[in-house]
Amino acid sequence: QTNMDGKMYEPLTDEKSEGDVHAAPGHTSRYNYGTRKCRDSLWSLVFLACFAFCVVGGLYGFVNRNPNYYKYDKDYVNDIKHCPLKGERSLLEEDDEVGILIVRSWWLVFGGIAGSFFMGLAYLTLFRKYAHFMVSLTVNFQIALPAVVGVGLLFSGAALPALGMLLVACLFAVVFYLFRTQLDLCTKLLAVTSTALKDNPGMILFVVLLKLALLLISIPLLVLLAVSFQNGALVHNPAIAKFKGSECLDSNGAELTCCIFENDSWVLPYVALSAFVLLWTLKLGFEIRLFTITGCVSQWYFAPYGDMQATKGSLVCSFRQAVGPQFGSLCLGSLVLTVVQVIQQLAEQVKNGNSGNFISYLISSFASCVMEIVKFFTRFATVRLAITGESFYTAAHEAYDMLTRNLMSAYSVWWIPPMVLRMAAFVTSALWGILCFFISWGVLAPEKEGMSAAAIVGIVSFISSMVVLAFFITIMINIVEVVYFCYAMDKDACAVTHPEIHEVYMLIPQKNEGAAVEQPGGNVSYGVPQAF
């Protein structure tokens, strides 16, 4: 076939793509519905072995911990005669009126935390029904906030800071005006996301349950890690140079603690390994979440139009695959993300510790940039293997090839949705925190430290709301990426599964490609340019 430019395009055939294993009669799907083989099993064994080692090591530390660790106060460890004995200091706490008041008003704290979840549901509902309004509100707030602060500073007599804030407001206004097209596209992307979330409401409950499961797994490991520090004994402080009566002094005459707690030799290596495995476990949980969301959304995307039964049980099916045949692949992907996280932390420490060294700053910045790229492709590798059932290496290679063929050149599209979502979450959480503060203040006003306690309740409510909204944001961003990847698979197969979604993603500047061509039967596909 030819289009108006005179170029020839390949027609869309009825053959199934390579990833198709099962689909509805007469429908071609790129999701692998078939029985999946176990992939990357070695890495699941490595993870389970490391996790078991940390648990066994933690239990050993718990059984052999120093029983006197919490029995001695500051005066005890300042007595040089006690150094040969086992034990460690436990500083006595003074009376805390605010803390006591907070404990007495536990129901206010609990209400603020519990209400955060309902704020999250309201947040999702607003973006689903009023995406354009929420984007506009967020943009206007970012412009208005520095402007209001600037006007306030101007009236208070601080002319220079006021000028700075007003300039920031003007800069935001100019930037958002220049990116108005992308903001409009962001609204459409979030609307697509909300539609997918509305059609798959079980994903929210799944993410909540997964978070609770991670919490239940992580807390015992954290407890065992903390208890391991109780293995050791009190020894003389090696920094002691002289004594003055019962006081221990260093070479400069400054008073020191006479005894210090020295851990057993195995503690620090165990703590390092446990911290790494704990981070690996959290990253694995995030990978399971992405895998399950991808499986659910991709089955929704590739389902025949109007066939609601095609996605029935997709969430459970995807989760079973995540903890079953493809658990090893997810262990490997989470290991990559864990190593990336460690390298980024080290690079950040180097950057902060060598602020005057340009070479160190350059190297650490380059390392952080490379790690971000690795994280980006690892994320899409997980999306790919959730759809196709490939191994991690194969999925990473195929995802890289697909993204290089189809990756959108407008990177602003990828940073604008997270920015809008996070700023909207900040505004929502701030309003919730302020509301909880005033409610608590009204209840605790007669108390001596009522305002301080109310402020703590407001801060806790704000933080808990931000935490709750953070994982809702993660779900929405994951859906945007998964739907894009399904769209890219459509383009590779010269097919249009969801015309309304293609209309949105086609608005983003992309690499040169064939035009959309209407087939004789009325179907639409992307043509592939042929060279003459």
Side-chain angles (χ1 to χ4, degrees), residues 340-357 360-361 363-365 367-368:
V340 166
Q341 183 73 28
V342 171
I343 293 175
Q344 285 185 316
Q345 291 293 333
L346 292 175
E348 193 65 27
Q349 291 179 9
V350 170
K351 188 186 299 183
N352 295 333
N354 298 274
S355 56
N357 190 326
S360 298
Y361 184 85
I363 293 174
S364 59
S365 299
S368 297

Side-chain angles (χ1 to χ4, degrees), residues 227-476:
V227 169
S228 66
F229 282 106
Q230 301 178 21
N231 288 263
L234 279 180
V235 298
H236 286 272
N237 191 337
I240 297 175
K242 52 187 175 180
F243 299 92
K244 183 180 178 181
S246 61
E247 296 180 353
C248 301
L249 308 176
D250 63 10
S251 56
N252 297 322
E255 186 178 355
L256 295 173
T257 301
C258 297
C259 309
I260 61 172
F261 192 80
E262 185 178 76
N263 291 115
D264 293 338
S265 58
W266 63 270
V267 172
L268 291 182
Y270 168 78
V271 168
L273 177 62
S274 294
F276 184 85
V277 171
L278 179 60
L279 181 59
W280 189 0
T281 303
L282 294 176
K283 295 294 184 183
L284 177 58
F286 299 157
E287 284 287 277
I288 291 174
R289 178 194 64 201
L290 177 58
F291 182 99
T292 308
I293 289 176
T294 298
C296 191
V297 173
S298 58
Q299 290 181 65
W300 164 82
Y301 182 94
F302 290 121
Y305 185 79
D307 185 2
M308 300 304 296
Q309 296 297 319
T311 58
K312 187 177 181 179
S314 59
L315 188 65
V316 175
C317 175
S318 299
F319 179 70
R320 285 178 178 174
Q321 291 170 347
V323 297
Q326 304 218 241
F327 184 70
S329 300
L330 298 182
C331 288
L332 178 54
S334 57
L335 177 61
V336 172
L337 294 176
T338 303
V339 173
V340 166
Q341 183 73 28
V342 171
I343 293 175
Q344 285 185 316
Q345 291 293 333
L346 292 175
E348 193 65 27
Q349 291 179 9
V350 170
K351 188 186 299 183
N352 295 333
N354 298 274
S355 56
N357 190 326
F358 177 74
I359 300 299
S360 298
Y361 184 85
L362 186 64
I363 293 174
S364 59
S365 299
F366 177 76
S368 297
C369 181
V370 171
M371 292 302 104
E372 283 296 328
I373 295 174
V374 174
K375 284 170 62 177
F376 178 82
F377 283 107
T378 301
R379 197 161 63 245
F380 277 105
T382 303
V383 172
R384 170 85 186 189
L385 65 90
I387 297 174
T388 63
E390 298 165 330
S391 67
F392 180 80
Y393 294 113
T394 304
H397 182 267
E398 294 296 329
Y400 174 80
D401 287 344
M402 179 175 293
L403 291 173
T404 53
R405 288 194 301 270
N406 300 291
L407 187 61
M408 301 166 183
S409 59
Y411 293 105
S412 58
V413 171
W414 299 118
W415 66 261
I416 286 180
M419 180 272 294
V420 169
L421 291 171
R422 286 165 186 154
M423 179 53 64
F426 176 81
V427 174
T428 304
S429 301
L431 293 175
W432 177 242
I434 292 170
L435 178 63
C436 290
F437 165 74
F438 281 112
I439 293 174
S440 302
W441 191 16
V443 173
L444 303 174
E447 303 288 345
K448 180 181 177 181
E449 299 292 342
M451 178 173 284
S452 299
I456 292 176
V457 173
I459 292 171
V460 171
S461 301
F462 167 77
I463 294 174
S464 63
S465 180
M466 283 294 293
V467 171
V468 170
L469 293 180
F471 79 78
F472 282 132
I473 290 171
T474 303
I475 295 174
M476 297 181 74

Side-chain angles (χ1 to χ4, degrees), residues 168-240:
V168 170
C170 292
L171 179 62
F172 279 162
V174 171
V175 169
F176 287 130
Y177 176 77
L178 293 176
F179 283 94
R180 61 190 182 279
T181 303
Q182 286 84 349
L183 287 170
D184 184 60
L185 178 57
C186 172
T187 301
K188 293 182 173 65
L189 289 173
L190 295 177
V192 169
T193 299
S194 300
T195 301
L197 199 55
K198 181 186 67 175
D199 292 343
N200 300 277
M203 285 192 292
I204 297 175
L205 179 61
F206 165 75
V207 172
V208 172
L209 294 177
L210 183 62
K211 289 278 185 181
L212 292 176
L214 279 177
L215 193 63
L216 293 176
I217 294 172
S218 302
I219 287 178
L221 199 59
L222 276 172
V223 171
L224 294 176
L225 191 151
V227 169
S228 66
F229 282 106
Q230 301 178 21
N231 288 263
L234 279 180
V235 298
H236 286 272
N237 191 337
I240 297 175

